[in-house]
Amino acid sequence: MKPQDRRSFLNSLTLVGLSAALPLPALAAGKVKPAANSALIVVDVQNCFVTGGTLPVAKGEEVVPVINKISAAFENIVITQDWHTPGHASFATTYPGKKPFETTTLKYGMQVLWPDHCVQGTDDAALHKDLKLPTAQLIIRKGFRKGVDSYSAFEEADRKTTTGLAGYLKARGIKTVFVTGLATDFCVAWTAMDARKAGFEAYVIEDATRGIDLNGSVAAAWKQMAAKGVRRIQSGDIAMA
Ligand SMILES: [Zn+2]
């Protein structure tokens, strides 16, 4: 049946006849089915960002079972890892007299200063041991230049240096990304917004993220993401079949 025939056919149905005449829909209402050209991006689910780590996000570890579960719906999975040098420009300890969560101005603009975290090669920087993503195809590391931070998986904080992720995804024909991980208001939000900037459709799966929330930064991030066309969904919205 051609689409226009189908429409007029549907229009001609009465409400009573509708359920009997139509085949069952493949998906429940509102479900999102990741396609072959979709990728799951799992941002910074590392020891540093969960309870016991150097920059713990409250309840950060709770994203692990959610991400493990939804990963089965994706053919393509990319993992990111915050991966800093010792003495990194984003560390408060690099600046005498500065404390974590204060800010400073670097060449590329304002920088929040963090406790030392995710130092290259340390156990703190390792992926969470319970993250089970055997089908993941790429681990992209970011923030590895001593003088530049990188919240986004796509572009470093100087807004000039690319991580190469957009090129990789495009070369593989990926059109849509689903972003999960830590933290909602920093690396997840920047990754999702940069995905939009690079031309991808972008979803953030809210219950597969947790935020740091400095002065209302989680609410602000959702607002900014919405303005860039990032869609906010829950893991239950993903069609798993
Ligand atoms: Zn970092």
Side-chain angles (χ1 to χ4, degrees):
M1 193 182 286
K2 286 185 231 151
Q4 61 269 35
D5 294 336
R6 185 171 171 84
R7 264 197 301 279
S8 53
F9 169 71
L10 289 174
N11 289 342
S12 70
L13 288 172
T14 63
L15 264 181
V16 176
L18 197 64
S19 57
L22 284 176
L24 281 173
L27 299 174
K31 290 272 182 183
V32 179
K33 170 95 181 132
N37 62 4
S38 301
L40 178 66
I41 302 182
V42 179
V43 176
D44 297 3
V45 183
Q46 295 165 260
N47 293 332
C48 30
F49 295 121
V50 301
T51 304
T54 47
L55 178 46
V57 179
K59 301 183 177 174
E61 58 280 1
E62 290 181 1
V63 304
V64 172
V66 182
I67 292 169
N68 286 346
K69 183 176 177 210
I70 58 173
S71 68
F74 290 87
E75 283 183 34
N76 309 294
I77 302 176
V78 172
I79 295 171
T80 77
Q81 227 175 348
D82 211 28
W83 199 251
H84 297 311
T85 60
H88 191 258
S90 71
F91 295 171
T93 55
T94 302
Y95 310 91
K98 285 285 191 185
K99 292 195 190 70
F101 310 107
E102 292 179 356
T103 60
T104 193
T105 305
L106 298 183
K107 260 185 249 155
Y108 53 79
M110 197 268 278
Q111 171 70 48
V112 179
L113 296 176
W114 305 105
D116 290 24
H117 65 281
C118 300
V119 172
Q120 296 167 358
T122 61
D123 187 54
D124 189 57
L127 296 172
H128 192 286
K129 66 175 173 36
D130 296 329
L131 197 63
K132 296 283 186 272
L133 300 173
T135 60
Q137 298 140 359
L138 176 73
I139 297 176
I140 192 149
R141 290 172 167 169
K142 60 188 182 61
F144 53 76
R145 288 185 178 80
K146 195 167 185 175
V148 188
D149 204 4
S150 189
Y151 296 150
S152 165
F154 288 93
E155 209 174 77
E156 298 189 16
D158 62 3
R159 315 309 284 157
K160 288 196 289 248
T161 310
T162 171
T163 65
L165 180 58
Y168 168 85
L169 293 173
K170 283 177 184 174
R172 295 207 40 218
I174 302 295
K175 303 273 190 236
T176 305
V177 299
F178 292 75
V179 187
T180 61
L182 305 169
T184 321
D185 37 348
F186 290 92
C187 296
V188 167
W190 286 46
T191 295
M193 289 192 285
D194 279 354
R196 294 289 301 139
K197 190 172 153 193
F200 299 98
E201 238 195 297
Y203 292 82
V204 169
I205 305 173
E206 184 175 14
D207 59 330
T209 73
R210 291 292 183 279
I212 293 175
D213 211 13
L214 293 177
N215 307 313
S217 55
V218 168
W222 281 117
K223 214 170 164 183
Q224 288 165 5
M225 287 192 278
K228 303 269 193 233
V230 175
R231 298 186 199 174
R232 179 181 188 171
I233 60 170
Q234 308 299 319
S235 61
D237 296 327
I238 301 284
M240 295 301 299

